[in-house]
Amino acid sequence: MKIWKIIIVTSILLVGIGVIMTLRAGEASEMTIDDEKVDTVKTSNSAEDMDESLVTFEKTVAVTPDDTYSYGAFCRVNRVPSEENFFVTFGGSNRDVQQSAKTFSPFGGAEGGNGYSYKIYDADFSYTGETGVIHSGGGDAASVLADGYYYFLVGTPPNDWIIKKIDTSTWEMVDSTVIDMETSTEILNDMMLAYANGNLIASGLYDATGVAGGDQKKSDPTAGMATHNHLYDTSLKFLERFVLDDVPHINGSYVVFANDVYNYITSTSFFGDLIVMRYDEDWKFIDSKTIDEGAQWSQGALYDEKTDRFYVAFMDLPLTKDNKIARGESINIALGIYDAEWNLVEKVNVSGFEPSDKKNPGRPSVILEDGKLYVSYDVSTAPELGGEEKLDWQCTVNILDVNTL
């Protein structure tokens, strides 16, 4: 067995901003790797004193590329409601549609106007051959499974955002709602869609000054801002809109409601630290805590009531003292495991990339099903120093067994 070395690893992926992430298993369709074990880091002040890891690596599944799909950005995995099967959604449609999209769309790569697709996997995570399209436009996206429906948030010009409610038994849209923005302050890319305390939360970066002009590329990557948040119930009835600015932070976030508290997991800046901002049920600020240094893009998290642990998927960045990506180091996807008070129990290097792999992983998420963690993320080829980004994102799912200790 090969043991992965742990580095400070996670990934940066801002589609539309031009910072890209990558994956490790893009060479072959439905490739699996089942002879490796994840190496981990445990803290000396962990809430649990353990001699063994909480997780064991099972396999990696390369969802794309395959004979149908060339790309796979914004990769997300979920369990099909009331079934043993899983579904994976990603930005990318069949090659013919992608080719025509390059001609007519201003967007590039997997978001090139060619839509978002899904693939169905069985209980052992083998591809069943069932696939289809859930959205036929480009742009960044976020999604969440809630109350038996798949909610899909995407930018659809001329509208700013739209939330689609999709029935996964038919893959038909049963409802939708449009979210219009103040474009000078409410930045639209790399949005969040979370399900917490019975409601949907759609969120993005908020620039109070309007200096960035709605373009995150024009903002300071070492400075935090705020987020605009839009609450809906699961029937897509609008409930509330508010801005969170108690602590400087950015987009690429997620929210988990546990123990009567909203846990808003985000970063202090694009090149900053991972934090959790805590709010009561009325969204009154309680406190914030740094949970990892040099990390961001925590787009998936969960709380396991059986073990009182939080699981957070994020990008681990090898930052220098002046907040730049260190040369000769790798960005990786990490899984942070925390106790109920957000003390680190264990940190797992999920993607395990070395500099020689020349990969950029990003946009991670995680679910827990039947004692297994499914970490999804996309991966692109790392550009040469000073070179242009590679628009070749591929969708990957890593499966980890949760050990009983």
Side-chain angles (χ1 to χ4, degrees):
M1 291 188 180
K2 172 185 172 186
I3 303 295
W4 290 341
K5 293 193 297 182
I6 189 80
I7 313 173
I8 296 181
V9 289
T10 284
S11 209
I12 296 175
L13 174 42
L14 252 173
V15 167
I17 287 191
V19 181
I20 305 185
M21 328 219 186
T22 329
L23 141 126
R24 158 163 160 160
E27 297 87 3
S29 169
E30 309 308 331
M31 181 181 72
T32 62
I33 305 171
D34 56 11
D35 60 348
E36 302 181 50
K37 183 177 180 179
V38 174
D39 200 7
T40 63
V41 165
K42 308 180 189 72
T43 58
S44 58
N45 61 344
S46 296
E48 301 173 36
D49 184 13
M50 302 174 301
D51 294 325
E52 298 181 44
S53 172
L54 284 173
V55 298
T56 301
F57 180 82
E58 181 178 308
K59 65 180 178 180
T60 295
V61 177
V63 177
T64 64
D66 63 12
D67 292 340
T68 302
Y69 301 104
S70 302
Y71 299 103
F74 293 92
C75 182
R76 292 291 179 265
V77 59
N78 285 280
R79 192 77 169 264
V80 178
S82 304
E83 294 184 20
E84 293 185 347
N85 289 350
F86 293 84
F87 68 92
V88 182
T89 59
F90 51 91
S93 295
N94 67 65
R95 284 176 168 80
D96 291 339
V97 175
Q98 289 174 344
Q99 192 60 41
S100 63
K102 291 178 182 178
T103 304
F104 299 107
S105 173
F107 300 102
E111 290 83 13
N114 50 355
Y116 282 79
S117 301
Y118 68 89
K119 294 175 69 173
I120 303 296
Y121 290 78
D122 65 18
D124 297 322
F125 224 86
S126 296
Y127 180 41
T128 65
E130 181 181 348
T131 185
V133 174
I134 61 171
H135 178 71
S136 58
D140 291 5
S143 57
V144 68
L145 187 68
D147 279 359
Y149 290 92
Y150 192 48
Y151 294 86
F152 193 77
L153 172 65
V154 67
T156 56
N159 299 315
D160 293 322
W161 281 354
I162 184 171
I163 302 177
K164 293 185 171 185
K165 183 177 182 179
I166 298 171
D167 183 345
T168 58
S169 66
T170 62
W171 291 101
E172 296 292 331
M173 183 181 74
V174 297
D175 202 357
S176 67
T177 189
V178 170
I179 307 176
D180 290 320
M181 304 292 177
E182 300 173 8
T183 54
S184 62
T185 58
E186 296 179 326
I187 297 176
L188 306 183
N189 65 276
D190 291 280
M191 62 284 267
M192 173 192 82
L193 186 63
Y195 178 67
N197 197 19
N199 293 317
L200 302 168
I201 307 170
S203 175
L205 188 64
Y206 184 80
D207 176 17
T209 65
V211 171
D215 185 354
Q216 189 171 4
K217 291 183 291 185
K218 297 178 181 178
S219 66
D220 182 354
T222 65
M225 293 189 190
T227 49
H228 56 96
N229 297 267
H230 312 257
L231 267 63
Y232 292 81
D233 66 18
T234 54
S235 66
L236 297 184
K237 177 185 177 181
F238 174 74
L239 301 176
E240 186 179 4
R241 175 197 174 278
F242 54 86
V243 171
L244 296 179
D245 58 3
D246 305 280
V247 178
H249 63 286
I250 61 167
N251 52 335
S253 309
Y254 202 74
V255 178
V256 176
F257 188 77
N259 302 320
D260 299 323
V261 171
Y262 288 103
N263 299 270
Y264 205 113
I265 306 146
T266 181
S267 303
T268 55
S269 66
F270 193 77
F271 293 130
D273 298 328
L274 199 67
I275 61 171
V276 57
M277 306 184 302
R278 302 199 306 161
Y279 293 84
D280 68 14
E281 288 190 85
D282 297 318
W283 287 98
K284 297 223 171 25
F285 180 68
I286 300 172
D287 58 20
S288 68
K289 180 178 182 177
T290 299
I291 59 175
D292 200 277
E293 295 181 351
Q296 45 106 296
W297 246 235
S298 51
Q299 293 189 300
L302 62 93
Y303 180 70
D304 181 16
E305 294 183 354
K306 293 181 180 179
T307 59
D308 290 325
R309 296 190 191 115
F310 289 98
Y311 293 88
V312 181
F314 60 92
M315 293 167 52
D316 205 5
L317 312 179
L319 295 181
T320 62
K321 292 182 179 179
D322 56 351
N323 292 321
K324 295 181 180 179
I325 300 296
R327 293 186 182 183
E329 298 290 345
S330 295
I331 294 169
N332 273 279
I333 300 302
L335 180 70
I337 306 174
Y338 304 87
D339 67 16
E341 298 301 321
W342 287 101
N343 299 304
L344 179 64
V345 176
E346 186 173 356
K347 179 178 176 179
V348 181
N349 181 350
V350 175
S351 55
F353 291 127
E354 300 286 353
S356 59
D357 295 322
K358 297 183 178 181
K359 296 294 186 181
N360 273 342
R363 290 179 283 214
S365 188
V366 61
I367 63 169
L368 175 65
E369 292 287 344
D370 297 333
K372 296 179 186 290
L373 292 159
Y374 298 80
V375 182
S376 57
Y377 54 99
D378 54 26
V379 181
S380 65
T381 304
E384 299 296 330
L385 184 62
E388 295 184 0
E389 64 185 9
K390 306 293 185 180
L391 307 182
D392 59 354
W393 305 290
Q394 301 299 344
C395 176
T396 295
V397 176
N398 278 30
I399 303 173
L400 310 174
D401 291 312
V402 179
N403 299 326
T404 302
L405 301 177

